[in-house]
């Protein structure tokens, strides 16, 4: 898609630090990393978010995420790993081309990647969600 920065990066129109590439995906280093080794999996085809992604391509993206998590963990010796995938402005998405964040985590690392106040599941949420999904 014209004017999409991730289309240009994924397809090599703008040079970028690349950790992996195949016919469908490119894995690049995030320009503003949360931690050392924070990378992004970008499909070369443009889909704005997970709702638009074909299921088979989504499956292959997450298989690649698993592989890259293993490779990064082995190479960097991180102690934990977050996969983050934002959809929509309300969810924190800022670039509207599907991507998966690969975020190595380190013991004692002070940077918070995802955090919310844990409160017990309200009965009415449980009932409503179960009813709507059944
Ligand atoms: P989102 O908030 O949409 O899930 O994440 C977008 C991510 O893309 C951010 O972590 C941001 O740092 C990264 N990003 C935005 N523009 C560029 C860019 O031009 N190059 C690279 N490598 N990363 C980018
Ligand atoms: Zn795009």
């Amino acid at each position: 898609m014209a004017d999409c920065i991730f289309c240009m990066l994924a397809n090599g129109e703008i040079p970028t630090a690349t950790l992996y590439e195949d016919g469908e995906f490119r894995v690049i280093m995030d320009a503003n990393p949360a931690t050392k080794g924070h990378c992004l999996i970008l499909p070369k085809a443009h889909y704005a978010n997970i709702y638009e992604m074909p299921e088979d391509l989504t499956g292959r993206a997450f298989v690649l995420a698993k592989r890259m998590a293993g490779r990064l963990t082995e190479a960097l010796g991180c102690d934990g790993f977050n996969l983050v995938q934002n959809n929509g402005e309300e969810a924190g998405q800022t670039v509207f081309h599907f991507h998966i964040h690969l975020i190595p985590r380190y013991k004692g690392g002070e940077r918070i990647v995802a955090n919310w106040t844990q409160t017990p599941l309200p009965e009415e949420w449980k009932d409503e969600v179960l009813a709507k999904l059944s």
Side-chain angles (χ1 to χ4, degrees):
M1 199 178 83
D3 299 337
C4 172
I5 182 78
F6 279 7
C7 277
M8 293 186 238
L9 289 165
N11 290 286
E13 289 156 33
I14 300 173
T16 189
T18 298
L19 281 82
Y20 172 87
E21 185 186 4
D22 63 24
E24 288 185 309
F25 300 102
R26 184 187 293 264
V27 181
I28 68 168
M29 297 192 71
D30 195 292
N32 308 281
T35 66
K36 184 177 65 184
H38 180 173
C39 296
L40 302 168
I41 295 181
L42 311 179
K44 293 186 173 181
H46 182 88
Y47 299 100
N49 50 44
I50 199 163
Y51 305 113
E52 290 190 3
M53 281 278 282
E55 278 190 3
D56 54 349
L57 187 64
T58 308
R60 290 192 290 278
F62 279 95
V63 169
L64 179 56
K66 183 210 163 22
R67 290 193 187 132
M68 290 304 304
R71 282 186 58 197
L72 283 159
T73 299
E74 204 177 309
L76 301 175
C78 58
D79 304 297
F81 213 94
N82 292 117
L83 296 185
V84 177
Q85 202 280 305
N86 300 324
N87 299 283
E89 218 171 311
E90 283 305 314
Q93 187 176 11
T94 58
V95 180
F96 296 92
H97 174 126
F98 175 92
H99 50 280
I100 302 172
H101 293 262
L102 303 170
I103 308 177
R105 303 301 299 273
Y106 302 91
K107 231 172 242 148
E110 75 284 7
R111 291 194 175 188
I112 295 165
V113 170
N115 195 26
W116 58 86
T117 308
Q118 293 208 344
T119 51
L121 173 63
E123 280 299 310
E124 64 271 22
W125 287 10
K126 186 173 79 182
D127 294 345
E128 183 184 337
V129 173
L130 286 174
K132 285 182 170 167
L133 269 286
S134 63

